[in-house]
Amino acid sequence: MHSHRSILSISLNCMITFLASILIWLMAFGLIVLWVIDGKIKKETVIHAVFSCLLAYGVTELIKTFFPTLRPFQFDGALPLTLTVPTDGAFPSSHTAIGFALATTIIKHDKKVGVLYIIMAGFVGVARIMAHVHYPIDIIAGAVIGVVISRLTSSKHFARLLNR
């Protein structure tokens, strides 16, 4: 009975690590696939998504610089269930901000794929909590930052950059 529990525990830990560390990269790769292979996403959408993600990352990192906060694993002594051990502050979650910036951009152009991306961004956020690297408030703030930045930049005409 004990071995079944450890197998389940290891499986759960692997799933958390995947969702907390790798899923965000698969989401970005999916954007490229949608653009190149599927053709559903246009170049302007890709540029908007990349711009929104970079801006969301920049804003979250700036906040972390000026308002450093400890991460859960630094308090509870649990090992973080991520591929790398984060050394910056916990608030807000950059992974979640990037995920929601990407999802918000995509949903504007493709509702079905966008809903899938919102679900994946939510999984990233929840997994970051379960991985002992974020608190719920970090995830909420990251999601809000990602959505707001994507929406604020959605009226910019990225097609002009392509025509230069």
Side-chain angles (χ1 to χ4, degrees), residues 15-26:
M15 179 61 76
I16 291 168
T17 301
F18 171 81
L19 294 172
S21 297
I22 298 170
L23 183 57
I24 194 75
W25 293 102
L26 293 178

Side-chain angles (χ1 to χ4, degrees), residues 21-107:
S21 297
I22 298 170
L23 183 57
I24 194 75
W25 293 102
L26 293 178
M27 290 170 69
F29 180 72
L31 181 68
I32 296 165
V33 170
L34 287 169
W35 176 28
V36 174
I37 295 172
D38 197 357
K40 285 185 180 177
I41 301 292
K42 296 179 179 159
K43 288 180 184 177
E44 182 177 13
T45 304
V46 173
I47 292 171
H48 176 211
V50 169
F51 179 76
S52 294
C53 289
L54 289 173
L55 194 55
Y57 176 77
V59 167
T60 56
E61 291 302 308
L62 197 60
I63 293 169
K64 289 178 186 195
T65 300
F66 289 106
F67 305 101
T69 56
L70 293 177
R71 292 179 177 267
F73 73 87
Q74 294 170 311
F75 276 122
D76 63 20
L79 289 175
L81 298 175
T82 51
L83 293 179
T84 58
V85 177
T87 57
D88 59 351
F91 181 86
S93 169
S94 298
H95 281 77
T96 307
I98 291 167
F100 276 93
L102 186 57
T104 304
T105 302
I106 291 174
I107 202 165

